[in-house]
Amino acid sequence: MKLFMDTGNIKDMEKLCDIGIIDGVTTNPTLLAKEESDPGDAIRRICELVDGPVSAEVVSDNAREMIAEGRALAQLDDRVVVKVPFSAEGLAATRELASSGIPVNETLVFSAAQALLTVEAGATYVSCFMGRLDDISVTSEDVVAEIVEALGPNREAQVLAASMRNPVHVVTAARLGCEVSTVPYKVLKQMLGHPLTEAGIAKFADDWKSRPEFGEWLHGLVEKSAAAKA
Ligand code: E4P
């Protein structure tokens, strides 16, 4: 499963991009509205930072304007995927954008029935919001499982698990066969950390330091290897 970062915050992105674990980014109007920067500048900068698709969302409620906004957003950068909220108008816009070669991420999908319509309209991604389902006491795991099953193994669209509130959501999405999960900075940090990993690293370092000659040996090995390469 690919991991996207769900953010409009450049600083957070810069902190994690260099690790090489981020395959793409999703933004939305709420995330971009939290930032000081101009949304166009933010989207362009995100496209520079990540080597993968970057979702940017339309905000109109009718197909004609969604199409115009989608085309304009797609011109910001080749990496832009136009995010279209699910609705009859959204599906019409999706059909038009997709048939002109602009990839679409259909967002706010909460059922397998909506996912089937999304695929029919030609979207590249079907975004199901797990956290928001759990918030209203609908088991997100069941809904995502139903979407994955309904779209089948040779599906034309990728199932993108969104609204990740914790690492368990991400693991569940992977177990169910989602192609992508889009994860906020806070949850990515939670996925990185584990007290046993931290304790284990500290113990290895202490044990190694208890034999100073081992440190010298490794240092010499590194120098020899670097000299051989030069
Ligand atoms: C997905 O693309 C959305 O930006 C996002 O996951 C929404 O999540 P939220 O429910 O945490 O706002």
Side-chain angles (χ1 to χ4, degrees):
M1 185 180 71
K2 290 195 166 163
L3 282 183
F4 288 3
M5 191 164 171
D6 197 23
T7 189
N9 187 291
I10 308 295
K11 285 202 176 109
D12 285 350
M13 273 206 70
E14 285 170 345
K15 282 182 224 155
L16 293 182
C17 263
D18 283 350
I19 305 177
I21 52 168
I22 306 297
D23 301 306
V25 171
T26 51
T27 67
N28 66 35
T30 306
L31 292 169
L32 290 173
K34 284 184 195 161
E35 306 302 323
E36 289 297 319
S37 55
D38 169 85
D41 292 345
I43 292 163
R44 272 189 288 259
R45 178 66 185 135
I46 291 170
C47 289
E48 281 170 11
L49 287 170
V50 72
D51 188 15
V54 175
S55 290
E57 188 161 339
V58 301
V59 291
S60 287
D61 60 1
N62 66 82
R64 190 179 52 79
E65 288 174 20
M66 285 180 188
I67 293 164
E69 289 174 7
R71 289 195 174 127
L73 289 168
Q75 278 171 15
L76 286 174
D77 192 282
D78 285 349
R79 296 189 196 287
V80 168
V81 170
V82 175
K83 216 176 185 189
V84 177
F86 184 92
S87 67
E89 293 288 319
L91 291 177
T94 298
R95 160 65 67 202
E96 180 59 31
L97 291 166
S99 42
S100 64
I102 296 175
V104 174
N105 173 356
E106 198 82 20
T107 190
L108 296 168
V109 170
F110 291 99
S111 71
Q114 289 181 323
L116 288 169
L117 296 175
T118 296
V119 173
E120 202 57 36
T124 302
Y125 300 99
V126 181
S127 278
C128 178
F129 282 37
M130 296 184 74
R132 293 195 198 181
L133 280 165
D134 290 335
D135 288 346
I136 58 159
S137 304
V138 174
T139 308
S140 61
E141 180 169 354
D142 294 348
V143 176
V144 172
E146 206 180 3
I147 290 174
V148 169
E149 190 188 350
L151 300 191
N154 303 317
R155 49 189 171 263
E156 287 157 38
Q158 302 186 35
V159 180
L160 191 159
S163 188
M164 303 281 102
R165 299 281 158 78
N166 52 58
V168 176
H169 274 148
V170 185
V171 174
T172 301
R175 284 178 40 236
L176 293 173
C178 293
E179 281 83 1
V180 187
S181 180
T182 189
V183 190
Y185 178 76
K186 188 182 135 211
V187 177
L188 285 164
K189 289 285 286 180
Q190 288 172 335
M191 290 169 75
L192 279 167
H194 194 291
L196 290 177
T197 303
E198 282 132 36
I201 289 171
K203 170 92 173 94
F204 287 148
D206 284 351
D207 290 345
W208 193 254
K209 273 185 217 142
S210 74
R211 299 288 301 271
E213 71 277 22
F214 282 14
E216 280 162 33
W217 165 79
L218 185 56
H219 184 71
L221 192 70
V222 170
E223 286 201 328
K224 252 192 240 163
S225 145
K229 269 198 175 172

